[in-house]
Amino acid sequence: MTNGIDLNDVKRRMDGAINAFKNDLASLRTGRASPNILDPVMVEAYGSRVALNTVANITVPEPRMLGVSIWDKSMVGAVDRAIRESNLGLNPIVDGQNLRIPLPELNEERRKSLVKVAHGYAENAKVAVRHVRRDAMDALKKAEKDGDIGKDDARSLSEKVQKMTDDTISDIDRLLGEKEKEIMHV
């Protein structure tokens, strides 16, 4: 705690926003099969919505194919429906208690829509970082108003928080640029 705010906590929260953004980007399909593609899929199971990986095992049997082995036979229809309705552009093939999910070639239109999704994820991450900055700035103003820190210390700390924010947002932009290149040039 540096007289009003904990810069390490601010950094940790901003890093959390970047890690969440990285996870979101990992779920975007770029032509290679990856179990992460199905991370956003939520299944209606046992009266609640649960992540797909809690009711099934996801494998990559071939470079352009995903395999989903569902543990409970009664869940096959719900899993199939959840994948189809997930806006991932995937059409599972039901094979008993297993689903085979061929990954179609990415056409130009699909690539552009994936880039738009990536931009949405980036904007969400930036908003999260700005919320962390706002919280830190509010804490600084309160500490200054309460007399815990002086004007110069408050200004110095607010400049540090702003620098951390700028650096984090530039990291988000860099990661977005890399993912955009990967999607468009696969």
Side-chain angles (χ1 to χ4, degrees), residues 18 29 105 118 165:
I18 283 191
R29 182 169 67 84
E105 286 290 330
T165 302

Side-chain angles (χ1 to χ4, degrees), residues 98-115:
N98 298 316
L99 298 178
R100 288 178 297 136
I101 307 170
L103 299 181
E105 286 290 330
L106 288 176
N107 60 21
E108 192 66 20
E109 182 182 323
R110 182 71 180 135
R111 289 177 196 272
K112 287 179 180 174
S113 77
L114 286 175
V115 168

Side-chain angles (χ1 to χ4, degrees), residues 38 40-45 49-52 55 75-90 92 99 101:
L38 298 175
V41 176
M42 299 299 283
V43 180
E44 197 66 42
R49 294 180 58 77
V50 296
L52 175 61
V55 296
M75 296 302 305
V76 173
V79 170
D80 179 46
R81 190 169 36 265
I83 293 170
R84 288 180 192 278
E85 295 172 354
S86 66
N87 293 329
L88 293 174
L90 302 175
L99 298 178
I101 307 170

